[in-house]
Amino acid sequence: MGRSANKTANNKPPVLLQHGLLLDAATWLLGSPDEALGFILADHGFDVWLSNTRGTASSRGHAWLNPQDPEYWEWSWDELAEYELPALFEYVYHQTGQKLYYVGHSLGTLNAFVALSKGKLVNMLRSAAMLTPVAYLGQMTSPAFRSIAELFLSEKLYSLGVREFILKGQDVAKLLQFVCLKAEINCSDTFTVITGPNCCIKKSTVDSFLGIEPQSTATKNVIHLSQMIRRGTLTKYDYGNVYENVKSYGQITPPAYNVKSIPKDVPLLLSYGGKDTLTVVNDVKILLEDLRDHKADKLVLQYRDDYAHFDFIVGYNANKLVYDPLIAFFMLH
C-alpha cells in the first residue's frame, strides 16, 4: 500500500517489475521509500508486482524437481522469455483485470524484447520501461563477463557438472578468482569490475545490496549470454552440436530472434548509461537500428552519460533523473 490515497485497490494500474541477472526483486526496494522504485510507484498510485526469476532464493519451487536435481537448472533466458514472463503477465492480468505497465532491468529487458518479438505480452501490456536495455552484447566491455565468455569458463563449469551458477559457491568463486588473475583484473571492487563505475550509489545501499545479492542462475543461462557476447547475435541457445540443434530447432544452427518484429505501436522507454560496461552504448545503437521503424511517438530514449548498470536501480538520484521521467511516460501511455 503506497502513501497515495487517490486510488482504490480496484482502479490502481498494475505494474510488474522484473529484475536482472544474479539479482532478485529486493533490488527494487533498496534505499529509502523516496529512492526505491517499488515504493515510489506505490506512492504514485500503482499496484506494484515484484517478480523473482526461477532459481533465486524466493523462487525455487517446481512441480516435481528440486534445486538439487541437475535437471532443475536446465534452462536459459530462452525459457524465461518463452514461458516465465508470459506466465507472470497472465497471472497479474487475471488477478487485476487490467493491462500491465512493465519495468525491466538488464536481463529483464532481454526477456521482454524477445517475448514481444514473438507476439507475446502485447495484448496484456500498456507500456514498457527498459532500464539498461539488452538485446545485443557483442561489444560488452565488462572485463569479468567478457573473460568468462572468451575463455568458455561457464561451458567448462557445465562440463564438470556444475548446473547452478552461484557467485557465492565454491566452484564459481574459483572461476572468478581465475578470471581476475588471468585477465589481470583488480577484483576488489566487484561492482565496478562487473558493471562499470557506478556514479551514484550510497555505501549503505551497497552494504544492503551485498547482504542479499548475488542470487543464483543456471549455468546454462550464463553459457547462453556468453554466446551472445562472443558472437554479437541474438539467437536461441546453441547446444554446440548439430544433433541437439536439429532435435530442438529442426536446423543445424539456433534460429535468430527478430527484434524488428516487435509491434511498432508498443510504447517503449529505453534508458541507458554512458559508463555501463554491460549494456554498452554501441550495443544499444544496434538495438535502436532494429527499432528504427518504431512509431516515433511510441519510442522514448533517455541517456545518462554518468550512469553505469546499477545506478538505474539503486542510484540515490535515480528517483529524479530516471523514475520521474519513467512515471511521466507511463502516465502518457
Side-chain angles (χ1 to χ4, degrees):
M1 178 70 71
R3 291 178 290 192
S4 171
N6 297 334
K7 298 178 181 179
T8 66
N10 291 331
N11 64 14
K12 287 186 176 183
V15 56
L16 175 64
L17 275 57
Q18 177 60 59
H19 62 80
L21 183 71
L22 304 179
L23 306 179
D24 68 359
T27 54
W28 301 112
L29 305 176
L30 293 178
S32 73
D34 294 320
E35 295 172 341
L37 181 58
F39 294 122
I40 291 171
L41 287 169
D43 288 342
H44 278 78
F46 290 89
D47 181 15
V48 180
W49 295 74
L50 306 177
S51 165
N52 286 291
T53 298
R54 65 173 80 178
T56 57
S58 299
S59 184
R60 297 174 79 86
H62 195 279
W64 63 86
L65 297 172
N66 66 67
Q68 285 69 49
D69 297 321
E71 188 181 351
Y72 178 92
W73 299 99
E74 286 298 323
W75 52 269
S76 79
W77 57 259
D78 277 333
E79 284 75 23
L80 302 183
E82 180 73 21
Y83 305 112
E84 187 162 300
L85 189 59
L88 290 164
F89 261 72
E90 289 174 9
Y91 183 82
V92 177
Y93 178 75
H94 290 301
Q95 288 291 314
T96 64
Q98 300 185 63
K99 290 186 175 183
L100 286 65
Y101 292 104
Y102 180 77
V103 181
H105 174 246
S106 192
L107 188 68
T109 70
L110 174 61
N111 299 340
F113 285 134
V114 169
L116 288 168
S117 75
K118 300 185 69 177
K120 300 177 182 291
L121 315 181
V122 177
N123 294 332
M124 296 178 284
L125 177 68
R126 300 190 193 208
S127 57
M130 309 298 203
L131 307 181
T132 68
V134 173
Y136 299 97
L137 294 173
Q139 300 181 72
M140 172 194 286
T141 57
S142 168
F145 270 102
R146 180 154 291 280
S147 295
I148 289 172
E150 292 181 348
L151 295 172
F152 291 81
L153 295 182
S154 51
E155 287 85 346
K156 292 174 183 176
L157 279 179
Y158 188 90
S159 69
L160 293 172
V162 179
R163 297 295 188 267
E164 178 182 4
F165 190 96
I166 175 169
L167 289 180
K168 297 176 182 178
Q170 183 177 7
D171 294 304
V172 178
K174 289 180 179 178
L175 176 149
L176 292 178
Q177 185 179 27
F178 174 79
V179 166
C180 295
L181 292 172
K182 182 75 174 179
E184 298 182 347
I185 303 169
N186 179 4
C187 291
S188 60
D189 184 351
T190 307
F191 266 32
T192 299
V193 167
I194 294 177
T195 70
N198 296 277
C199 68
C200 306
I201 304 178
K202 296 177 180 177
K203 184 182 183 303
S204 59
T205 302
V206 173
D207 293 340
S208 297
F209 183 94
L210 294 176
I212 56 175
E213 316 294 357
Q215 297 285 324
S216 296
T217 189
T219 302
K220 184 176 177 180
N221 193 31
V222 181
I223 293 174
H224 197 175
L225 293 167
S226 296
Q227 292 171 356
M228 295 175 66
I229 295 169
R230 290 193 299 267
R231 303 171 185 178
T233 54
L234 180 60
T235 73
K236 287 183 174 289
Y237 181 85
D238 189 345
Y239 286 91
N241 67 75
V242 171
Y243 173 79
E244 289 294 339
N245 282 340
V246 171
K247 179 182 175 182
S248 297
Y249 311 127
Q251 58 188 64
I252 61 174
T253 57
Y257 292 109
N258 185 8
V259 177
K260 297 176 183 178
S261 298
I262 295 176
K264 295 173 176 53
D265 58 350
V266 172
L268 297 174
L269 167 66
L270 274 55
S271 188
Y272 60 108
K275 299 297 188 292
D276 194 336
T277 60
L278 292 176
T279 305
V280 300
V281 172
N282 285 337
D283 281 329
V284 176
K285 287 180 179 178
I286 299 173
L287 168 62
L288 294 177
E289 179 62 21
D290 282 349
L291 296 174
R292 66 185 182 277
D293 293 328
H294 211 79
K295 288 188 176 180
D297 62 338
K298 301 295 184 181
L299 181 61
V300 175
L301 305 180
Q302 181 189 46
Y303 175 71
R304 294 291 314 170
D305 184 64
D306 56 340
Y307 263 33
H309 206 69
F310 284 155
D311 286 312
F312 288 91
I313 53 172
V314 290
Y316 63 79
N317 55 1
N319 52 356
K320 300 298 183 184
L321 300 181
V322 179
Y323 305 154
D324 280 355
L326 182 154
I327 292 169
F329 171 78
F330 280 169
M331 296 300 186
L332 286 175
H333 301 281

